[in-house]
Amino acid sequence: MKQGVVVDMVVLGEPLVEFSADRALSEAGTFHLSFSGDALNASVTAAAQGARVALVTRVGVDEFGARLIRFAAERGVDTRWMARDEGSTGAYAVGADPSGERAFAYFRHGSAASHMGPEDVDRSPVADARVVLLGGITAAISDSCAQAVRHAAKAASGRVVYDPNFRSRLTTPEAAAAVLRDVAPHAALVKISAPGDSGALLGLTEPHEIARACLDLGAGSVAVTLGEGGVLLAEGDATPVRVPAFPAAEVVDQTGAGDSFAGTLAAWLARGESLTAAVRAGTAAASISLGGRGGTGRVATRDQVEAVLG
């Protein structure tokens, strides 16, 4: 470990400037500014659970890059590995599409974070962290980012948690499935949504079949997230168990709920909790997050999660 560096958890990925609207993007004229992105959402959530979490990324040498670093630091994230680099700070706009779901438009091509590569992993505490959280969105940003994700999975000595988090506007099913195949043998846990991730990457929608397929790829365990249906948790040859979802007290926006689940789960694993307890905590945090707008609109604290868990 690099001298003086002590972290429980590392997240590799791109934080984003978020412009959110309550209307469809084709019609919206007013947007709310915040900060989000899967890596930032998970990092902030993990910090709120008490984990010492480092976000490894690059942001632009611009006002938004500075604001993102400040935003993360104010929420307890270790920002020493949020490097400033050429290229703009990534952003996205999100609005309600005509069916009432959330639709995203990304502005991250050529962003500072898209320049990340294996060297960013080597300059970070990935090799020594208890848990390393990696995602398919990061791998989809650029070829060098995909190399960074693969390198981090191999370099980690702690537990690797991988979330494919498939986004059709960023990558193809074939490319995303290739990363999953390469990372799974190094992953203590693959968190995969059904049918969103599983249908595109595995051609499967039945939870037990999805879990078996990921275990066959080499994952140590699998958490198949099923929205209101909870989570199917499979470990090795043990009989899979269903972890129920917690009803949300209020539903404002689903953006970032999966990231809250992953960040909380990883934080609880980093502090030595069992996988089942970590998954239950993740479902509680995801439920709480639904009450806020945007990916970081409502971040569940450790006390709040434990209150939901009862």
Side-chain angles (χ1 to χ4, degrees):
M1 176 177 290
K2 296 175 176 57
Q3 188 173 7
V5 175
V6 179
V7 299
D8 300 317
M9 176 178 158
V10 169
V11 182
L12 177 72
E14 181 175 32
L16 297 168
V17 183
E18 176 188 76
F19 300 96
S20 61
D22 293 328
R23 303 182 65 184
L25 293 178
S26 59
E27 302 173 355
T30 301
F31 292 82
H32 173 77
L33 172 66
S34 187
F35 301 97
S36 187
D38 63 313
L40 182 67
N41 300 341
S43 297
V44 169
T45 301
Q49 297 304 307
R52 296 169 295 183
V53 55
L55 175 56
V56 178
T57 190
R58 301 188 195 186
V59 297
V61 186
D62 52 34
E63 291 82 359
F64 285 127
R67 288 183 64 175
L68 263 169
I69 293 174
R70 186 167 68 246
F71 181 91
E74 289 172 350
R75 285 153 183 81
V77 177
D78 191 331
T79 62
R80 283 177 287 178
W81 295 276
M82 294 182 68
R84 308 292 296 276
D85 196 9
E86 296 180 358
S88 62
T89 300
Y92 73 91
V94 57
D97 71 15
S99 67
E101 299 295 327
R102 305 296 277 172
F104 297 81
Y106 296 96
F107 310 100
R108 64 201 319 178
H109 181 72
S111 67
S114 71
H115 302 152
M116 284 193 296
E119 65 274 15
D120 292 275
V121 174
D122 291 338
R123 68 177 173 83
S124 77
V126 160
D128 300 290
R130 294 174 181 170
V131 175
V132 176
L133 178 58
L134 304 171
I137 288 179
T138 305
I141 298 171
S142 67
D143 290 342
S144 64
C145 284
Q147 293 173 18
V149 169
R150 289 179 167 98
H151 182 57
K154 295 176 182 178
S157 61
R159 302 168 87 173
V160 173
V161 176
Y162 184 66
D163 182 359
N165 220 346
F166 177 67
R167 294 290 185 271
S168 60
R169 293 194 179 192
L170 292 177
T171 189
T172 65
E174 295 77 14
V179 178
L180 173 60
R181 288 194 300 270
D182 289 344
V183 173
H186 306 282
L189 174 70
V190 167
K191 174 262 182 194
I192 185 167
S193 69
D197 294 337
S198 66
L201 306 189
L202 301 172
L204 301 172
T205 57
E206 199 284 318
H208 288 81
E209 293 179 357
I210 296 164
R212 185 71 260 163
C214 290
L215 291 172
D216 288 345
L217 288 176
S221 57
V222 185
V224 184
T225 58
L226 304 165
E228 294 180 355
V231 180
L232 182 72
L233 179 60
E235 299 182 73
D237 294 327
T239 301
V241 297
R242 184 68 69 98
V243 178
F246 292 94
E250 180 183 16
V251 179
V252 174
D253 186 358
Q254 298 182 24
T255 304
D259 306 327
S260 295
F261 174 87
T264 299
L265 180 154
W268 279 53
L269 288 179
R271 76 187 207 196
E273 299 288 349
S274 71
L275 182 56
T276 301
V279 168
R280 292 187 71 241
T283 60
S287 174
I288 293 169
S289 76
L290 296 175
R293 177 192 291 198
T296 53
R298 186 171 184 187
V299 177
T301 66
R302 179 172 172 175
D303 288 344
Q304 289 171 334
V305 167
E306 291 179 341
V308 171
L309 294 176

